């Protein structure tokens, strides 16, 4: 038997042994395995970052809550909805209130409401533009708190995402009428905070 014929038999045996597929030692298969391993490492890295972000967020909230102990209680959605219900059932349509704010507006505010609508507002004794009046009635203050609640709900659905970042909400509601006596919001990521306090609320017939 010639040498050429012997090499042909060896080649045929190689093909039959691998059922026509490349062997595990072939370079293309090795490259595919390396690629799959790299993708697996990337998935594990992304998962680790996401889990770490959630754990870090929980830890940050815990630290802030610890530092805030003895001050305003941390507000829950249940607390808020109960307060809104009390205001809707027993709240006032005609009232004037004094607030102290360190929020979007800083200073002392006087707000007059008739039939549920703001009719005048001043900041540190100076008239305020009518376009912002609606935000500083009791209903407007509830609206500010609700937007923060919605923001936290969106953040919970997208943990570790860039926006929106969650807000720590602390509040004290009037036990009878439900209006928010005090409210403080603290942004978890930046540490920025704002608050207001209703100094007085007087009913008018």
């Amino acid at each position: 038997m010639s040498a050429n014929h012997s090499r042909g038999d060896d080649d045929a045996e190689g093909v039959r042994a691998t059922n026509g597929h490349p062997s595990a030692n072939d370079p293309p298969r090795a490259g595919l395995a390396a690629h799959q391993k790299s993708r697996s490492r990337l998935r594990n890295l992304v998962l680790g970052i996401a889990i770490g972000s959630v754990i870090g967020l929980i830890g940050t909230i815990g630290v802030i809550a610890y530092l805030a102990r003895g001050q305003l209680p941390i507000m829950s959605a249940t607390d808020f909805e109960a307060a809104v219900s009390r205001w809707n059932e027993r709240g006032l349509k005609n009232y004037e209130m004094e607030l102290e704010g360190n929020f979007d507006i800083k200073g002392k505010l006087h707000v007059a409401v008739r039939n549920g609508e703001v009719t005048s507002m001043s900041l540190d004794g100076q008239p305020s533009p009518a376009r912002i009046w609606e935000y500083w009635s009791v209903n407007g203050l509830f609206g500010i708190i609700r937007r923060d609640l919605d923001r936290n709900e969106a953040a919970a659905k997208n943990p570790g995402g860039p926006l929106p970042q969650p807000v720590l909400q602390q509040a004290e509601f009037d036990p009878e009428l439900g209006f928010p006596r005090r409210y403080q919001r603290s942004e978890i990521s930046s540490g920025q905070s704002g608050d207001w306090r209703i100094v007085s609320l007087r009913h008018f017939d």
Side-chain angles (χ1 to χ4, degrees):
M1 181 180 295
S2 69
N4 288 339
H5 181 70
S6 176
R7 284 196 298 269
D9 288 345
D10 290 342
D11 291 343
E13 286 298 325
V15 171
R16 285 194 295 271
T18 59
N19 199 25
H21 297 289
S23 70
N25 296 323
D26 289 342
R29 186 62 175 267
L32 178 60
H35 178 67
Q36 291 175 338
K37 187 174 182 180
S38 176
R39 290 182 60 185
S40 178
R41 287 177 178 174
L42 180 60
R43 283 197 301 270
N44 291 338
L45 176 62
V46 172
L47 180 60
I49 292 173
I51 293 174
S53 298
V54 172
I55 293 174
L57 175 60
I58 293 172
T60 302
I61 292 175
V63 170
I64 293 176
Y66 175 78
L67 294 175
R69 69 197 190 284
Q71 301 179 19
L72 282 178
I74 295 176
M75 191 200 80
S76 69
T78 302
D79 297 333
F80 173 74
E81 296 299 346
V84 171
S85 294
R86 289 199 302 276
W87 179 256
N88 289 338
E89 292 173 3
R90 313 168 196 170
L92 310 176
K93 297 296 183 183
N94 302 299
Y95 58 92
E96 292 189 14
M97 63 179 176
E98 306 286 339
L99 301 92
E100 292 181 352
N102 184 25
F103 210 67
D104 295 336
I105 290 181
K106 297 177 174 64
K108 296 182 178 180
L109 296 88
H110 175 84
V111 182
V113 176
R114 298 294 182 269
N115 295 319
E117 300 291 334
V118 178
T119 57
S120 67
M121 174 178 160
S122 63
L123 174 62
D124 292 332
Q126 300 298 316
S128 298
R131 67 177 181 274
I132 66 171
W133 288 359
E134 63 178 307
Y135 300 110
W136 295 97
S137 66
V138 169
N139 287 334
L141 297 178
F142 278 135
I144 292 172
I145 298 174
R146 188 177 293 280
R147 282 192 289 276
D148 282 341
L149 275 173
D150 292 342
R151 173 173 174 162
N152 284 342
E153 183 179 348
K157 292 179 180 178
N158 185 32
L163 290 174
Q165 293 298 315
V167 174
L168 179 68
Q169 297 179 277
Q170 297 171 261
E172 178 185 28
F173 299 102
D174 185 82
E176 180 181 355
L177 299 179
F179 64 86
R181 287 178 171 175
R182 296 176 64 191
Y183 178 65
Q184 179 170 325
R185 66 188 303 279
S186 303
E187 296 188 3
I188 304 301
S189 58
S190 66
Q192 294 181 343
S193 64
D195 63 87
W196 77 67
R197 179 171 71 96
I198 295 180
V199 178
S200 66
L201 189 149
R202 301 183 301 276
H203 175 237
F204 283 86
D205 293 328

